[in-house]
């Protein structure tokens, strides 16, 4: 019984990395407009436009989101930044310093809201031994609410 309780408690206490303090970083939304790339000639997409009117509208510019993240002040124990998405894809890992800035290409906003592409990014700040010191969690809900460290920062 005690072994089961210890095992259960270890499973739920795995990632207790604290959030980075709000005043030590910035996350800015950088909207642009892009055309969605045309599908390859030899593929069939079920959601592809079929009528001429739908094909004309498909060529319109769509909102595209890039996040600009700036680490205003890194603590003495924070030496690296590692970014992963909710699909466990490593975006990048680099050494950091004060006023370190990087971008996260989220993609088309409709795809992010529909969870077709990644909708959550975790920015881990690591020490020299790659141990997690703090984190920044960026999350987009299905309704378009944009959250940073569980705090609503706007809507897509």
């Amino acid at each position: 019984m005690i072994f089961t309780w210890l095992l259960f408690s270890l499973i739920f206490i795995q990632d207790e990395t604290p959030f980075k303090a709000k005043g030590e970083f910035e996350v800015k939304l950088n909207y642009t407009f892009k055309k969605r790339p045309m599908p390859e000639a030899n593929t069939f997409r079920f959601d592809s436009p079929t009528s001429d009117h739908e094909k004309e509208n498909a060529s319109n510019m769509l909102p595209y989101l890039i996040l600009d993240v700036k680490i205003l002040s890194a603590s003495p124990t924070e030496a690296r930044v590692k970014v992963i998405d909710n699909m466990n894809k490593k975006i990048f890992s680099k050494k950091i310093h004060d006023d370190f800035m990087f971008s996260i290409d989220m993609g088309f906003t409709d795809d992010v809201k529909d969870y077709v592409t990644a909708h959550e990014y975790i920015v881990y700040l690591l020490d020299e031994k790659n141990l997690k010191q703090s984190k920044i969690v960026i999350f987009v809900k299905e309704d378009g609410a944009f959250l940073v460290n569980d705090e609503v920062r706007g809507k897509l």
Side-chain angles (χ1 to χ4, degrees):
M1 179 74 173
I2 294 174
F3 177 74
T4 307
W5 182 81
L6 286 172
L7 184 62
F8 182 75
S9 63
L10 284 175
I11 291 172
F12 286 101
I13 307 177
Q14 286 182 358
D15 187 22
E16 289 300 320
T17 307
F19 289 135
K20 181 120 177 103
K22 187 176 179 178
E24 295 180 358
F25 69 94
E26 290 179 346
V27 177
K28 292 185 179 179
L29 301 161
N30 183 4
Y31 279 105
T32 58
F33 289 93
K34 288 187 176 184
K35 282 188 177 184
R36 190 175 294 275
M38 296 301 291
E40 295 178 22
N42 296 337
T43 60
F44 178 78
R45 289 183 38 194
F46 290 104
D47 64 341
S48 65
T50 54
S51 70
D52 289 336
H53 177 69
E54 288 175 329
K55 288 179 184 177
E56 185 178 309
N57 287 337
S59 65
N60 290 343
M61 303 295 268
L62 298 170
Y64 194 88
L65 179 61
I66 297 173
L67 299 177
D68 293 326
V69 181
K70 186 174 185 179
I71 307 297
L72 299 172
S73 61
S75 74
T77 59
E78 296 170 343
R80 298 188 64 78
V81 63
K82 178 181 169 184
V83 181
I84 60 169
D85 64 15
N86 62 298
M87 298 175 179
N88 287 329
K89 180 181 173 190
K90 181 178 163 185
I91 307 302
F92 70 89
S93 178
K94 294 185 179 185
K95 287 186 177 183
I96 62 168
H97 50 79
D98 288 347
D99 293 328
F100 179 76
M101 189 169 172
F102 59 94
S103 296
I104 299 173
D105 186 342
M106 290 193 75
F108 292 101
T109 57
D110 287 341
D111 292 344
V112 174
K113 289 190 287 187
D114 293 339
Y115 293 178
V116 174
T117 60
H119 61 276
E120 180 180 30
Y121 291 85
I122 303 174
V123 179
Y124 287 110
L125 294 129
L126 312 169
D127 63 8
E128 291 290 338
K129 296 178 183 177
N130 287 334
L131 297 175
K132 298 172 186 172
Q133 300 298 305
S134 62
K135 67 182 175 182
I136 302 167
V137 178
I138 300 164
F139 185 79
V140 177
K141 290 185 174 182
E142 288 180 352
D143 66 354
F146 181 76
L147 291 89
V148 177
N149 289 348
D150 295 335
E151 177 184 315
V152 178
R153 298 274 183 102
K155 196 162 185 168
L156 301 183

